[in-house]
Amino acid sequence: MKYQLDQFYFGLEKLNIKLSEDQVGQFLTFYEMLIEKNKVMNLTTITEFQDVVQKHFIDSLSICLKVDLNQNIQILDLGTGAGFPGIPLKIAFPELNIVLIDSLNKRIIFLQEVISKLQLKKITAVHGRAEELARKPQYREQFDYCVSRAVAHLSSLSEYCIPFVKQGGMFISYKAGEIDEEVFQAKKAMHVLGGSIVNIDKFSLPGTDLSRTLIFIKKEQRTPKSYPRKAGTPARNPIN
């Protein structure tokens, strides 16, 4: 299938990302796999190619203006869903070590198919809940960055994500819409979990009026052993 790639290349240029033909091909194959699988399971409500380019691909890659991703670092993508932001980050920055985590096994099976088809290395997809995996030594405080586009309140999301981040690392939350009140309400949770906000970056996706926010939370202290609490508790009873 022939795709109109001008918008994609424009967005990449604004992010200072240069892709090879093979990498562009990987993005197109990923799109085709996403749309095909979406016919039989709910992966995304966004299906038009240009919308996926803007709202999934470029959005996922947007942290590169603030974080040096051209290095061999450990990134955890929590609540990855259909593979965002982890798969686009891996395609564009092959040196990254990435772990994708999602609580729905059907999504993980799809992502394993994507990883295999695109022949991606140093990336794994893991089925599990954050509350349980964050207590396992191979995951707890092992990552330079934890990223998440998951739709959850920042207070709950902090309890899911910060325990995975090593001291000195960063939890980066992708958000859309108005977030000031949410950030204010989450500050206690961040502090209890060992983190604090170092930057809030508000911007529009290139060539659009779609507003986005990246919240950068630095892990300054180790997370107390009692966190995260048992499954379901962070969502039902956030720290505040």
Side-chain angles (χ1 to χ4, degrees):
M1 188 180 289
K2 188 75 172 170
Y3 295 101
Q4 175 53 256
L5 295 174
D6 290 356
Q7 194 176 12
F8 190 28
Y9 284 125
F10 176 78
L12 292 170
E13 184 181 359
K14 292 297 181 185
L15 296 176
N16 298 322
I17 294 174
K18 290 184 172 63
L19 299 182
S20 68
E21 281 187 30
D22 285 347
Q23 287 170 303
V24 172
Q26 286 177 314
F27 272 105
L28 298 182
T29 300
F30 179 32
Y31 170 73
E32 290 167 358
M33 294 181 74
L34 178 66
I35 298 310
E36 190 61 31
K37 184 61 76 171
N38 207 53
K39 294 174 183 175
V40 295
M41 63 179 285
N42 182 26
L43 287 169
T44 179
T45 57
I46 300 165
T47 55
E48 291 297 319
F49 178 69
Q50 300 300 348
D51 289 338
V52 171
V53 162
Q54 286 288 358
K55 297 176 182 177
H56 282 327
F57 293 171
I58 297 299
D59 184 43
S60 292
L61 296 171
S62 60
I63 65 168
C64 74
L65 291 177
K66 299 292 180 181
V67 180
D68 179 9
L69 297 173
N70 289 296
Q71 53 181 328
N72 181 11
I73 53 177
Q74 306 280 343
I75 294 183
L76 178 78
D77 175 7
L78 189 67
T80 186
F84 302 113
I87 296 287
L89 289 173
K90 181 64 200 180
I91 294 172
F93 301 96
E95 288 305 306
L96 297 174
N97 282 279
I98 295 185
V99 175
L100 311 172
I101 289 179
D102 200 86
S103 60
L104 191 65
N105 198 40
K106 285 194 295 187
R107 293 195 199 112
I108 292 300
I109 292 169
F110 164 68
L111 293 172
Q112 289 168 341
E113 292 168 0
V114 170
I115 290 166
S116 176
K117 177 79 170 177
L118 301 185
Q119 298 184 311
L120 300 175
K121 309 298 182 192
K122 299 195 297 186
I123 179 169
T124 56
V126 178
H127 172 235
R129 295 186 64 112
E131 300 99 320
E132 292 154 6
L133 293 177
R135 293 193 164 277
K136 296 190 174 183
Q138 67 265 41
Y139 298 116
R140 189 175 184 86
E141 299 187 327
Q142 295 299 308
F143 294 88
D144 300 291
Y145 295 94
C146 179
V147 295
S148 184
R149 289 172 86 228
V151 181
H153 192 282
L154 189 58
S155 180
S156 305
L157 208 51
S158 294
E159 187 168 352
Y160 296 139
C161 293
I162 292 175
F164 289 102
V165 181
K166 63 175 66 168
Q167 204 168 336
M170 197 90 69
F171 161 41
I172 305 172
S173 176
Y174 290 68
K175 289 286 184 180
E178 187 50 54
I179 52 91
D180 292 351
E181 182 65 23
E182 187 176 340
V183 168
F184 177 76
Q185 292 173 354
K187 282 190 173 175
K188 180 179 179 183
M190 294 175 201
H191 176 73
V192 167
L193 296 159
S196 66
I197 293 177
V198 292
N199 189 25
I200 297 177
D201 186 28
K202 297 184 178 183
F203 61 98
S204 294
L205 294 177
T208 78
D209 57 1
L210 299 169
S211 63
R212 293 291 187 267
T213 303
L214 293 171
I215 304 164
F216 295 82
I217 299 153
K218 187 170 184 181
K219 177 78 166 275
E220 295 177 328
Q221 307 288 335
R222 299 194 71 172
T223 300
K225 288 187 171 62
S226 52
Y227 296 100
R229 292 166 293 168
K230 65 182 181 181
T233 305
R236 284 195 312 271
N237 184 27
I239 303 165
N240 54 36

